């Protein structure tokens, strides 16, 4: 029997559901394929996995969602605001924990990189990602293998 | 007791500190390091009674930090708080001299379970 060393949507979604639940006290669910999931400015976090499978996990969300995720991590009230570096830090750390869970579940994965976060002005293509919910907002997730 | 928290994420250092308070250890003194290199310096200058360290950090990783401390003869109690909790990493941590490895996401119960015997 061959055990796949590539992360798939079900594995990454399970990791996100665990992190949403335990760190952010929120639930994640698949976003309906026919529901629009647009936003104009947001944050994109990515982290590399190295081993039998080489590539990166990418998480993209709206700027407001990023702030809400950071606030939830730190247990802040709705009126409390975080500095932008702290929001970047928090979103990167969420993906870091997701990446750690994925790495632990994949045979032959030897290294997890450090998360990187940048601002983006466009959402990823729907056919190159899957979308999960943060409350009533979309969060894009991509599993991107290195180019052959 | 003095506890050193080493993590390159400021948010995660805050969460570890909050969780330590939730676990009933908030009365201890806390010192923070932004990476393994600063943690090694602070172990020397602050003489903490316990180090809680992330694994993946720039400049010096947590496992490099632990090996440097033990290589220099420093026996400070050391535990990992990291996003990776595979059995292979736990064994690597144990072999290098770590007391425990708490995997993120964690709860106050995890800290209480690992540290109640030591911190009371």
């Amino acid at each position: 029997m061959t055990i796949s060393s590539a992360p798939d949507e079900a594995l990454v979604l399970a990791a996100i559901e665990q992190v949403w639940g335990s760190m952010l006290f929120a639930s994640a669910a698949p976003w309906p394929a026919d529901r629009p999931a647009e936003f104009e400015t947001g944050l994109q976090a990515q982290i590399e996995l190295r081993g039998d499978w080489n590539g990166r996990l990418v998480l993209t969300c709206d700027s407001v969602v990023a702030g809400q995720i950071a606030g939830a991590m730190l247990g802040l009230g709705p009126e409390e605001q975080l500095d932008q570096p702290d929001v970047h830090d928090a979103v990167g750390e969420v993906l870091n924990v997701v990446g750690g869970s994925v790495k632990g579940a994949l045979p032959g994965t030897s290294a997890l990189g450090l998360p990187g976060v940048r601002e983006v002005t466009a959402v990823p293509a729907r056919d190159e990602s899957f979308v999960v919910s943060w409350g009533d907002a979309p969060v894009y997730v991509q599993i991107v293998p290195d180019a052959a | 007791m003095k506890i050193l928290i080493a993590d390159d994420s400021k948010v995660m250092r805050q969460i570890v500190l909050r969780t330590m308070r939730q676990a009933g250890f908030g009365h201890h003194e806390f010192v923070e390091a932004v990476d393994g290199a600063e943690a090694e310096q602070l172990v020397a200058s602050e003489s903490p009674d316990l180090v809680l360290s992330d694994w993946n950090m720039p400049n010096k990783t947590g496992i490099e930090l632990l090996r440097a401390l033990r290589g220099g003869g420093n026996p400070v109690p050391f535990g990992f708080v990291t996003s990776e909790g595979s059995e292979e990493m736990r064994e690597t941590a144990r072999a290098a001299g770590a007391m425990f490895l708490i995997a993120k996401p964690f709860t106050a119960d995890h800290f209480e379970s690992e540290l109640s015997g030591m911190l009371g």
Side-chain angles (χ1 to χ4, degrees), chain A residues 15-82:
Chain A
I16 288 172
E17 287 173 336
Q18 182 194 24
V19 171
W20 257 224
S22 58
M23 286 178 71
L24 307 176
F25 312 104
S27 60
W31 189 262
D34 58 353
R35 184 176 179 190
E38 302 300 319
F39 50 82
E40 293 183 350
T41 61
L43 287 191
Q44 184 167 80
Q46 58 180 320
I47 194 163
E48 288 190 346
L49 291 167
R50 292 281 164 247
D52 292 349
W53 183 84
N54 292 291
R56 57 203 161 91
L57 303 179
V58 183
L59 186 150
T60 308
C61 64
D62 178 83
S63 302
V64 174
V65 170
Q68 291 171 347
I69 287 174
M73 273 184 87
L74 288 166
L76 302 182
E79 301 304 317
E80 295 179 270
Q81 296 288 319
L82 282 169

Side-chain angles (χ1 to χ4, degrees), chain B:
Chain B
M1 298 179 84
K2 188 182 287 186
I3 300 168
L4 172 62
I5 301 172
D7 198 309
D8 55 315
S9 165
K10 175 186 168 190
V11 167
M12 189 50 67
R13 293 197 304 274
Q14 288 179 268
I15 292 171
V16 170
L17 183 55
R18 184 186 69 194
T19 309
M20 287 289 283
R21 290 186 178 128
Q22 289 169 344
F25 306 130
H27 57 290
H28 295 286
E29 181 183 353
F30 292 90
V31 184
E32 296 183 28
V34 300
D35 57 29
E38 186 181 34
E40 188 174 13
Q41 293 169 6
L42 288 174
V43 168
S45 63
E46 297 284 335
S47 299
D49 302 290
L50 171 67
V51 177
L52 298 176
S53 177
D54 188 17
W55 190 294
N56 275 339
M57 294 184 287
N59 297 323
K60 183 168 278 188
T61 66
I63 193 71
E64 289 169 347
L65 167 65
L66 175 56
R67 287 173 176 152
L69 292 172
R70 294 295 185 261
N74 191 318
V76 60
F78 193 107
F80 284 102
V81 182
T82 176
S83 62
E84 304 174 55
S86 69
E87 194 47 48
E88 181 185 353
M89 289 188 71
R90 291 178 189 277
E91 180 51 40
T92 300
R94 272 192 296 267
M99 290 170 57
F100 56 83
L101 185 153
I102 295 172
K104 304 169 190 171
F106 49 71
T107 66
D109 288 344
H110 291 115
F111 281 81
E112 193 173 2
S113 168
E114 297 289 359
L115 293 169
S116 58
M118 177 184 180
L119 298 179

